[in-house]
Amino acid sequence: MDEGFLSNVNWDNMLEATWETVYMSSIAIVFTFILGIALGLLLFLTSRNQLWSNPVINWFTAAFVNIFRSIPFIILIILLIPFTVAILNTMLGPQAALPALIIGAAPFYARLVEIGLREVDKGVIEAARSMGSNQFQIIFKVLLPESMPALISGITVTSIALVGYTAMAGVIGAGGLGDLAYRDGFQRNNAEVTLVATVITLIIVFIFQGIGDVLTRKLDKR
């Protein structure tokens, strides 16, 4: 007898999976933001005619970024299993997904950071130099503040990609909505679980997008 729409959904499991997805995404976003800005600054500052112009360091940084942002995420997870097990003693659960999420997303975001930094008006940088600003002041009082709207817009795009990455990580046991949709939805032929997991994932994406849009508008002084 049909007990009604969505009667086959275990809401306790769904709530736990939602929390795991939010946890993985949020922690990964924070570390991706920090590491991505560091890599993006290194790419920008070591490029030609910039403060730390160094073709060798720039080449190695660009190679690292290009390699890791080009590897399909599901393959990257598998490649990083030995590294993940070495530092966490497990390859299962939300915590174990974090190394792959961060290493997969940070190089992608680094390129967006580099693009944002290149959009900073060179006149503003030259004005700071003429006023006696040192390199530290130029980076933290000119480059980063002036490019912040672009940096926030970039991390918003990256956060949406990260939510998708968590779904793929779930397929190999990381937990979250992707794991639930695959294990309880696909494997058990339960379309209701898959539908609800998809809708909740979309809601999480819309929330991240909304937060990013609000912050970008507030920081954009143009």
Side-chain angles (χ1 to χ4, degrees):
M1 179 178 169
D2 187 4
E3 296 179 5
F5 184 54
L6 303 183
S7 60
N8 293 321
V9 177
N10 184 316
W11 293 103
D12 288 337
N13 289 347
M14 190 65 67
L15 182 62
E16 182 181 1
T18 301
W19 163 247
E20 289 173 343
T21 293
V22 172
Y23 168 79
M24 287 188 285
S25 301
S26 300
I27 299 298
I29 288 169
V30 171
F31 281 94
T32 295
F33 185 71
I34 296 169
L35 184 57
I37 286 180
L39 285 171
L41 275 171
L42 195 58
L43 280 170
F44 175 74
L45 294 171
T46 59
S47 61
R48 189 176 179 182
N49 297 326
Q50 297 301 333
L51 295 177
W52 301 342
S53 183
N54 187 313
V56 175
I57 293 177
N58 185 264
W59 187 89
F60 277 106
T61 307
F64 173 84
V65 167
N66 290 337
I67 288 170
F68 279 94
R69 77 188 185 116
S70 300
I71 300 174
F73 183 70
I74 194 70
I75 296 176
L76 182 63
I77 295 175
I78 297 169
L79 290 175
L80 290 176
I81 285 176
F83 173 72
T84 302
V85 172
I87 62 174
L88 297 174
N89 294 320
T90 181
M91 57 169 282
L92 300 175
Q95 196 92 2
L98 292 176
L101 290 171
I102 296 166
I103 293 172
F108 172 78
Y109 180 54
R111 281 299 184 188
L112 299 181
V113 171
E114 182 190 19
I115 293 169
L117 292 170
R118 291 193 182 282
E119 291 176 353
V120 175
D121 189 347
K122 292 182 179 179
V124 178
I125 300 173
E126 291 303 320
R129 277 178 171 172
S130 65
M131 293 173 65
S133 297
N134 57 36
Q135 293 184 359
F136 181 88
Q137 291 171 325
I138 291 173
I139 293 169
F140 290 97
K141 293 187 177 181
V142 179
L143 282 174
L144 290 178
E146 288 292 324
S147 63
M148 193 54 67
L151 301 187
I152 296 299
S153 180
I155 197 62
T156 302
V157 172
T158 308
S159 69
I160 293 170
L162 274 167
V163 175
Y165 288 172
T166 65
M168 284 187 276
V171 173
I172 63 165
L177 292 166
D179 180 38
L180 190 68
Y182 178 73
R183 179 170 39 83
D184 287 3
F186 175 74
Q187 289 191 329
R188 298 183 181 179
N189 198 28
N190 190 340
E192 293 180 359
V193 170
T194 303
L195 174 63
V196 174
T198 301
V199 171
I200 294 175
T201 301
L202 289 173
I203 291 172
I204 293 171
V205 167
F206 292 152
I207 290 172
F208 284 160
Q209 182 71 60
I211 293 172
D213 289 344
V214 169
L215 289 175
T216 300
R217 283 196 297 269
K218 285 189 174 183
L219 292 168
D220 196 341
K221 301 173 184 177
R222 291 173 296 180

